[in-house]
Amino acid sequence: MDTDRQGAVMEPGFTITVNGVTREVAPGPERSLLEVLREELGITGPKLGCGEGACGACTVLLGRRAVTACTTPAGEAGGHQVTTVEGLAEDGLLHPVQQAWMETGALQCGYCTPGWLTGCAALLARVPHPDDARIAAELAGHLCRCCTYPRIRAAVHRAAELMEQPESLEPVPVPPAEAAVVTGAGPGPGTRSPRIPARSWPGCPRAWSAWPGRSRPRASGLPARGPGCTWGRTGW
């Protein structure tokens, strides 16, 4: 690779196939795959979380392998197939993981959901029926600040069932804002699935207080910790 006058590494232009569409990436400073996807190609499903591959919010598929886009140099994806949450659905039908997340309500703010979906899709492509221990081990790199881990575990098992029941898959909805985080077609935080009734936040102060700049929400009647909340590296 060349360098610019300040000594920064410059990468040549290359092509990348994202969700079945070949795209040209312009020459420029060395960038992460996440930066190219979001800033240059306008693919906003993968989210910037920690920036160091520790939270899983930016997970995409590179071939069949789940990778954190924030730590993957964009050049490594050159000539390869990249699948983001926007590309999981096929033939107008939801991917089993997308439908399972909606059925089980395995999301709250939705920011981490795209990474969970792609990571789960990669897991089920390799292990059709993982048990709870395998799910926890394989998805240990994903964090959910809302502590929906019990629902996520249920969603993975439901997705495994749907993988063998293609006739049960539903059409991709015309995405209103509240469904966009699951289908990958629009904004993330604050959105809800149309199949999940509005509900109050069940409460997981530990998840909020563990992140800098977040204070415990002021609300009466919240339990000391939400159901199943075991905040930590995996949260299971």
Side-chain angles (χ1 to χ4, degrees), residues 1 120 130:
M1 290 186 178
C120 179

Side-chain angles (χ1 to χ4, degrees), residues 33-161:
L33 177 57
L34 180 63
E35 183 178 354
V36 167
L37 289 173
R38 292 184 58 87
E39 305 300 329
E40 184 168 341
L41 303 183
I43 299 171
T44 58
K47 299 294 188 286
L48 174 61
C50 63
E52 56 186 30
C55 72
C58 66
T59 301
V60 300
L61 302 181
L62 187 58
R64 290 182 161 183
R65 183 168 54 96
V67 300
T68 49
C70 72
T71 60
T72 301
E76 290 188 7
H80 294 281
Q81 175 70 248
V82 175
T83 305
T84 69
V85 67
E86 290 92 336
L88 289 180
E90 294 184 353
D91 301 322
L93 297 176
L94 291 170
H95 188 284
V97 299
Q98 293 173 306
Q99 183 164 322
W101 249 252
M102 294 173 71
E103 288 183 3
T104 59
L107 71 159
Q108 286 195 41
C109 78
Y111 195 82
C112 65
T113 301
W116 281 101
L117 294 176
T118 49
C120 179
L123 167 61
L124 294 179
R126 293 182 293 103
V127 186
H129 291 281
D131 58 20
D132 288 351
R134 187 68 180 270
I135 292 170
E138 294 279 348
L139 300 179
H142 294 262
L143 297 180
C144 174
R145 293 169 64 177
C146 300
C147 285
T148 62
Y149 297 106
R151 292 178 185 170
I152 288 172
R153 185 186 299 112
V156 177
H157 288 302
R158 176 57 179 153
E161 295 174 353

